[in-house]
Amino acid sequence: MSAIRLAEYGSQTAEELTRDDLGFLTSRYRQAVVATVDPVSLLPRLTASSWVGVIVLPSGCEIRITTKVPVANLFYMLAVVNDWQFRSEDVAGYATEATILYVVARYFRDQLLALDGRGLYRAYTDVSDNLAAVRGRIDLPHDLRQNLIERERTACIFSEFTRDIRENQFLRQTAHLLSECGLVDDFAPDFARIDYWWSDVRRTSHSPDMATSFTYHRLNEHYRSVHQLAALLLRWLSPDGSDGDRRFPAFLVNMNDLYEKFIRQSIVDRASGTMRVRKPRRLPLDRASSAHIQPDLLFEHHSRPILVGDCKYKRTGVKTDSDSDLYQMVAYCTALGLETGVLVYPRHLADVNDELVLRGSPIRLLRMTVDLGLPLSELRSETNRLCDDLLGSACVAPPTVELLP
């Protein structure tokens, strides 16, 4: 199987692509890869966006989009965002794998094996069956339909203490998908064995959103992080989040979205209740509410905004070359009645920590960077440093002014 390798936001020609491949990319993965025609060579040209991962095309050719963030660090970011129980010594051993999917799939396999060794969670659930002897209570409507003439059996509803519950069905569905997707062949036999061991659990096609519907308590609390991991894998491996035709599998991670959530969750964890940090709902920009804004970060103290920020997953340098970001932050500060706004970038060529004061206005804009390429052992300290700088800026930010109605 041939492979076309792209870096995030990178571009290159790909003469091996067929017409079916181009149509497949255009119809299903245009958010990750844009296919055009190179004006010089007249060959297909692929341009990647902020999505990284692997797409398998109908011809069998793979498109591999890589990120400069080390795999172990990428997994750490996912762990922070999804509140997984993270142990750096475990993930460091996974960092030699080829892709983030291999790392997450291996971690998921280990979690499933740990659950199986501990014993799957069981619960009482109502079961309907047509039995030779009455068990539980008689299901009269079904009994009349099924046994109106021959009365050897009785339709009953009874409670059964079983492993065949939604909590386990969701995990088996994900394990089955991983065993057949073709992107984690090294672990496929392990997932196939788990799928076989759990054959008493029905294989279903639940949506990844089901992970938010479970109710956790002391008997199944240990399932929470595994369910979140399963939901993430289902979203990566299937456009509609379910198992189905996997002839052309793919897994994709939106680095822009992950970076924003990672920075925000890191600040929330670091703030420890001293102030509220959140992504607000869409807010009106003008008095007629015809235009709206939605910043990534809003720092609040006693329900009053004191600092606004945005996370920009793009390269930046010591020169102010992102004018559109500055204009956007000025709009945020003006609409919220704030005098301080912060832009947070990943470190590129050099650390950026500067302040821009607008002419004729009290608004000042801060730019900060975080180095996501550090060794895993140093990434937590780097993130804490950024969070402390942001929280410090929020503490010294001037009070808000009252906005006109």
Side-chain angles (χ1 to χ4, degrees), residues 123-131 133-139 142 146 154-165 169 200 202:
Y124 285 99
T125 182
D126 287 340
V127 178
S128 299
D129 202 355
N130 206 26
L131 304 175
V134 175
R135 180 181 177 185
R137 66 183 187 274
I138 298 176
D139 186 355
H142 285 83
Q146 298 180 38
T154 305
C156 303
I157 298 177
F158 54 93
S159 294
E160 190 173 55
F161 194 57
T162 177
R163 306 196 311 175
D164 189 18
I165 54 178
Q169 293 167 3
D200 59 323
R202 281 175 296 172

Side-chain angles (χ1 to χ4, degrees), residues 97 102 109 183-190:
E97 306 292 354
Y102 270 69
R109 179 202 62 181
L183 292 175
V184 287
D185 290 338
D186 293 347
F187 307 134
D190 296 334

